[in-house]
Amino acid sequence: LMRRLAAAAAMLLALAAAALAAAGAVAALREFLAQTRTARGEFTQQVSRGGAQAAPPSSGTFYFERPGRFRWIYARPYEQVLVADGERLFLYDKDLNQVTVKKVTAALPASPASILFGGNEFERDFVVTEAGTRDGLEWLKAVPRAKDSQFERIEIGFRDGAPAAMVLADSFGQVSRLAFSRFERNAKLDAQLF
């Protein structure tokens, strides 16, 4: 009887600890958005479809200034640069020697960029829930409210109050996994980046 009680107590403690840890992801996002105006860092990205790798892994650097300004640079394996200046989004593809321009308001709503780089209204565009703890990170899940979104769900994993990973599941069955490193909050950034 004592072993069962001890096991039940241990299980309840584990569940309570997991609930407390999981409750932290949405709070971590809110705090991150409230306290972070700029950031820079590095990323790696892997894209899969049906569990199989769909593209070579990519990597690069990012910079952002909230709200709405960012530079996302893919260095490997193909050079591409995405720049948002607050009004327009520019996509430069070096291999095609081509620049595509879109209005930010048309390109970013209900997208991963709108959560991290937009204003603080992410819960207006997403249903946000706690997604537990895994891989040492506290996760949240964001499902776009818009039915015509390119994404089915976005998951963000936090470590020490900053995004450390994202999982993006799109409506075409692809899953992109991003890991962030050398993340520097409120970094002084050159205005020419945007």
Side-chain angles (χ1 to χ4, degrees), residues 18 20 36 52 63 81 83 99 114 130-131 142 182 191-192:
L20 286 173
T36 305
Y63 307 86
V81 179
V83 177
V99 175
S114 71
E130 300 293 343
R182 298 183 185 211
Q192 297 296 319

Side-chain angles (χ1 to χ4, degrees), residues 1 10 15 35 43 46-47 51-52 60 88 120 126 128 143 148-149 152 160 172 176 194:
L1 179 62
L15 289 172
Q35 296 181 1
F43 71 91
Q46 295 185 339
V47 179
R88 295 165 296 180
N120 291 355
F126 296 90
V128 182
V143 176
D148 60 349
S149 173
E152 290 183 358
D160 300 327
F172 304 106
S176 297
F194 316 107

